[in-house]
C-alpha cells in the first residue's frame, strides 16, 4: 500500500504535469476573475471566498481524468487488481496521492491568492481550514468519477459532467464557512457539516469506486 | 405465478402490449378532462388571477420528475441484485422521460414565477435542487450513451444512480442551508391538511393521474423499443457470425 502511494507520488512529481499544473490553473482562474468582474476591492472581497473555493474545485477536477486512466491504459491497473490489495484500498491510495499532489498544494497556496483577491483578514484561517477539510472529499468523489469513466475514450468531459453535481454539497458548505468567517459570523455549523460530508464520502465512496472499477476491468 | 416472471422479456412484452392501450387511453382521457376542467371550469384565484391555472402542468410534472428518478433507483437496485435485463432497460427508458418532466417543471415554474414573484428565476432552494436534479439526469443519460457494452453500461449507470440519489438528497438539504426561498412549502401531502382549495384540487388530482399514466405508458413503450433494439442487434450479430438464425427469445 505504501509502495503504491510512494509510486503514485513519484510519478506525479516526475512526470512534469500534475503537481505544478493544478496550481498554475488555480492561479490563472483567480487572476482572470478581476478581469471579468472589475478590480473594485469591495466587490472582490465579497466574492473572494467563493472564487477561491470554485478555483480549487476546478483545479482538482483538472487532473482527475489521469488519476486512473494512465494505469488502465498501460495495464498497471490489471496488475494492481490481481495484487492482494483490494481494489477499494487501491482507490483510497490513489485518491490520497491525488490529494497530496493536488489538494494539499491548493490549500497551502489559497491564502496567497486570497491576498490577490483582497480577502478580508478574518477569512484566511477559516478558508484554509475549510479547504483542508473539504478537498479530501473532492479527491475521493473524483476517484469515483474517474473509476466510472476509466474505460471510455476521451471521457474527460463526461467525467466533469458526472463529478461536478456530486461536488455541490461540499462546495456549498465549504464556501459558506469561508463566507461566514469574512462576515464575522459563527462558522462551526458549516464546518461541522463539511466534515460530516468528508467523513461520509471517505467511508463509502471507495466501495462504490471499487465496484465500478471491478465492472470496468471485467 | 410471481412478479418476477415479467423479468422475461417475451412475457414482459406480451403483458405491456396488452396494458399499454389502456394506459394511453387513460392518460389521454385524464389529461383532456383535467386540463379542460382546470383551464376553463375553475374560477380565477382571488390574488393570482388566471395564472394559478399553470398549476395543472407544473405540479404533476414536478411530481413525476422526482418519481421518475425514484423509479430508476428501484429498477437499478433490481438490476444490481437480481440482474434482470428488463429492469436495467426500464431504468434507461425512464431517464429521458424524467429529463423532459424536469424541464417542464422548470419552464412552467419560470412562466408562473414571472408574474407572481416578478422574476423568471431565483436561487431558491426548491428551484436550485430541481436544477441539480436536472444535472444528475443529464449525467446519467450521458453515461448510458457513452458506453458501448450494454451490461457494463447497465452496471455503471445503476451504481451512478445509487450514488447520485444520496448526493441529490444531500444537495436538497444543503441548499436549504445555503439560501432562503420564495417557493412555498409542500401544499399537497397525504397526511396533512390540504392548502389547495377543492375547486382547484379536484382537477389537479385528475391531471396528476394523467401524468402518472402517461409516464407509465411512455416507459413501457420505450422499454419495449429497447428490448427490440437489443434483440435485433443479437440477431444481426448472430447472422454476421454465420450461425443459424433462431428467432425465439434473446
Amino acid at each position: 500500500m505504501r509502495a503504491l502511494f510512494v509510486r503514485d507520488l513519484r510519478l506525479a512529481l516526475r512526470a512534469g504535469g500534475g503537481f505544478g499544473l493544478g496550481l498554475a490553473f488555480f492561479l490563472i482562474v483567480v487572476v482572470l476573475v478581476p478581469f471579468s468582474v472589475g478590480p473594485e476591492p469591495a466587490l472582490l472581497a465579497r466574492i473572494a471566498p467563493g472564487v477561491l473555493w470554485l478555483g480549487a474545485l476546478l483545479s482538482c477536477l483538472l487532473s482527475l481524468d489521469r488519476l486512473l486512466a494512465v494505469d488502465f491504459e498501460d495495464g498497471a491497473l490489471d496488475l494492481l487488481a490481481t495484487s492482494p490489495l483490494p481494489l477499494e484500498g487501491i482507490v483510497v491510495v490513489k485518491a490520497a496521492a491525488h490529494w497530496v499532489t493536488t489538494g494539499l498544494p491548493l490549500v497551502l497556496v489559497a491564502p496567497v491568492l486570497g491576498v490577490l483577491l483582497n480577502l478580508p483578514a478574518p477569512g484566511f484561517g477559516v478558508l484554509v481550514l475549510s479547504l483542508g477539510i473539504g478537498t479530501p472529499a473532492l479527491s475521493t468523489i473524483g476517484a469515483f468519477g474517474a473509476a466510472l469513466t476509466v474505460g471510455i475514450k476521451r471521457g474527460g468531459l463526461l467525467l466533469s459532467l458526472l463529478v461536478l453535481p456530486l461536488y455541490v454539497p461540499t462546495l456549498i458548505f465549504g464556501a459558506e464557512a469561508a463566507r461566514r468567517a469574512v462576515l464575522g459570523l459563527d462558522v462551526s455549523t458549516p464546518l461541522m457539516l463539511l466534515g460530516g460530508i468528508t467523513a461520509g464520502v471517505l467511508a463509502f465512496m471507495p466501495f462504490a469506486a471499487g465496484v465500478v472499477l471491478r465492472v470496468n476491468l471485467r | 405465478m410471481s412478479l418476477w416472471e415479467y423479468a422475461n422479456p417475451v412475457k414482459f412484452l406480451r403483458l405491456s402490449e396488452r396494458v399499454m392501450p389502456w394506459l394511453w387511453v387513460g392518460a389521454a382521457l385524464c389529461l383532456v378532462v383535467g386540463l379542460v376542467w382546470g383551464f376553463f371550469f375553475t374560477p380565477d384565484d382571488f390574488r393570482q388571477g388566471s395564472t394559478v391555472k399553470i398549476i395543472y402542468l407544473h405540479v404533476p410534472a414536478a411530481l413525476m420528475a422526482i418519481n421518475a428518478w425514484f423509479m430508476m433507483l428501484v429498477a437499478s437496485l433490481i438490476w444490481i441484485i437480481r440482474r434482470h435485463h428488463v429492469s436495467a432497460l426500464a431504468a434507461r427508458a425512464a431517464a429521458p422521460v424524467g429529463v423532459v418532466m424536469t424541464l417542464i417543471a422548470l419552464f412552467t415554474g419560470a412562466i408562473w414565477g414571472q408574474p407572481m414573484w416578478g422574476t423568471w428565476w431565483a436561487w431558491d432552494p426548491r428551484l436550485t435542487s430541481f436544477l441539480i436534479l436536472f444535472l444528475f439526469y443529464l449525467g446519467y443519460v450521458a453515461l448510458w450513451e457513452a458506453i458501448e457494452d450494454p451490461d457494463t453500461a447497465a452496471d455503471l449507470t445503476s451504481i451512478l444512480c445509487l450514488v447520485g440519489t444520496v448526493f441529490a438528497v444531500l444537495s436538497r438539504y444543503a441548499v436549504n442551508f445555503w439560501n432562503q426561498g420564495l417557493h412555498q412549502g409542500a401544499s399537497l401531502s397525504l397526511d396533512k391538511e390540504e392548502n389547495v382549495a377543492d375547486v382547484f384540487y379536484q382537477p389537479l388530482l385528475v391531471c396528476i393521474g394523467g401524468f402518472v399514466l402517461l409516464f407509465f405508458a411512455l416507459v413501457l413503450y420505450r422499454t419495449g423499443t429497447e428490448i427490440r433494439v437489443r434483440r435485433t442487434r443479437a440477431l444481426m450479430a448472430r447472422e454476421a457470425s454465420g450461425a443459424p438464425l433462431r428467432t425465439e427469445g434473446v
Side-chain angles (χ1 to χ4, degrees):
Chain A
M1 223 166 166
R2 190 182 301 156
L4 179 63
F5 183 66
V6 172
R7 165 186 172 273
D8 269 21
L9 282 188
R10 217 174 266 158
L11 276 178
L13 285 176
R14 290 193 186 153
F19 206 64
L21 219 57
L23 283 182
F25 182 77
F26 191 23
L27 175 67
I28 289 174
V29 168
V30 168
V31 168
L32 287 181
V33 168
F35 293 141
S36 61
V37 301
E40 222 176 302
L43 175 67
L44 286 180
R46 237 175 71 76
I47 60 173
V51 168
L52 289 171
W53 250 96
L54 191 63
L57 189 148
L58 291 177
S59 344
C60 227
L61 190 72
L62 196 67
S63 48
L64 279 180
D65 60 331
R66 308 314 294 159
L67 181 63
L68 292 164
V70 177
D71 283 348
F72 180 75
E73 278 156 17
D74 67 9
L77 206 56
D78 290 297
L79 284 179
L80 286 173
T82 55
S83 75
L85 199 60
L87 269 175
E88 287 81 2
I90 292 170
V91 172
V92 171
V93 172
K94 291 254 169 207
H98 179 262
W99 182 72
V100 170
T101 54
T102 315
L104 194 58
L106 289 177
V107 175
L108 297 178
V109 92
V112 182
L113 299 182
V115 174
L116 279 182
L117 287 179
N118 196 26
L119 184 72
F124 282 95
V126 177
L127 177 75
V128 171
L129 192 60
S130 69
L131 278 172
I133 297 175
T135 42
L138 298 185
S139 286
T140 316
I141 297 172
F144 168 72
L148 262 182
T149 54
V150 74
I152 302 170
K153 294 264 180 302
R154 284 184 289 280
L157 208 57
L158 180 65
L159 175 68
S160 334
L161 180 62
L162 296 179
V163 164
L164 284 178
L166 301 178
Y167 279 173
V168 169
T170 314
L171 177 63
I172 287 179
F173 291 123
E176 181 73 20
R179 202 165 52 189
R180 286 194 179 189
V182 167
L183 297 174
L185 300 171
D186 179 39
V187 294
S188 55
T189 314
L191 277 184
M192 274 193 271
L193 286 166
L194 184 66
I197 287 179
T198 303
V201 162
L202 286 178
F204 291 110
M205 267 322 208
F207 292 99
V211 172
V212 162
L213 213 49
R214 223 162 265 137
V215 171
N216 267 327
L217 289 176
R218 196 161 53 192
Chain B
M1 183 74 193
S2 88
L3 184 66
W4 298 115
E5 285 203 9
Y6 297 106
N8 177 336
V10 179
K11 282 207 175 127
F12 173 83
L13 278 182
R14 208 175 291 148
L15 178 78
S16 74
E17 257 148 38
R18 211 154 354 115
V19 174
M20 238 184 323
W22 296 102
L23 287 178
W24 286 119
V25 170
L29 212 65
C30 281
L31 283 178
V32 168
V33 169
L35 289 178
V36 169
W37 183 5
F39 284 149
F40 300 109
F41 298 98
T42 56
D44 287 354
D45 184 72
F46 79 101
R47 236 185 302 166
Q48 304 198 23
S50 56
T51 57
V52 74
K53 292 175 179 177
I54 207 163
I55 197 176
Y56 302 114
L57 289 173
H58 181 70
V59 169
L63 258 172
M64 288 324 291
I66 294 166
N67 286 331
W69 184 275
F70 188 67
M71 186 227 124
M72 279 157 54
L73 173 66
V74 173
S76 301
L77 278 174
I78 295 176
W79 163 252
I80 293 175
I81 296 166
R82 299 196 60 146
R83 309 203 69 81
H84 295 312
H85 285 86
V86 173
S87 168
L89 291 177
R92 178 181 192 172
V97 185
V99 172
V100 174
M101 293 291 176
T102 317
L103 273 181
I104 293 177
L106 285 172
F107 273 95
T108 53
I111 295 168
W112 199 359
Q114 217 287 324
M116 285 306 106
W117 299 338
T119 175
W120 298 101
W121 177 262
W123 289 96
D124 158 282
R126 282 194 167 218
L127 276 61
T128 312
S129 25
F130 241 76
L131 198 60
I132 295 170
L133 178 68
F134 180 63
L135 295 178
F136 276 108
Y137 268 123
L138 285 190
Y140 181 86
V141 174
L143 189 62
W144 261 113
E145 295 301 322
I147 303 168
E148 275 173 31
D149 181 63
D151 278 4
T152 310
D155 278 332
L156 296 185
T157 50
S158 48
I159 303 276
L160 178 68
C161 187
L162 297 191
V163 173
T165 308
V166 174
F167 276 85
V169 172
L170 261 181
S171 309
R172 172 80 185 83
Y173 292 100
V175 293
N176 269 342
F177 179 84
W178 159 80
N179 199 358
Q180 301 302 311
L182 285 170
H183 200 291
Q184 59 182 328
S187 303
L188 305 178
S189 61
L190 293 175
D191 57 345
K192 289 197 210 88
E193 200 189 340
E194 297 302 341
N195 295 322
V196 180
D198 275 352
V199 259
F200 301 120
Y201 187 56
Q202 288 152 358
L204 181 58
L205 273 190
V206 178
C207 279
I208 290 175
F211 266 77
V212 171
L213 290 175
L214 180 68
F215 173 75
F216 278 114
L218 283 171
V219 170
L220 284 183
Y221 183 71
R222 291 179 53 86
T223 311
T225 313
E226 295 283 348
I227 291 173
R228 291 195 177 91
V229 165
R230 201 182 277 197
R231 187 178 289 177
T232 316
R233 279 220 193 100
L235 285 175
M236 277 160 70
R238 204 170 290 159
E239 196 174 21
S241 67
L245 279 179
R246 196 171 53 91
T247 41
E248 76 277 10
V250 174

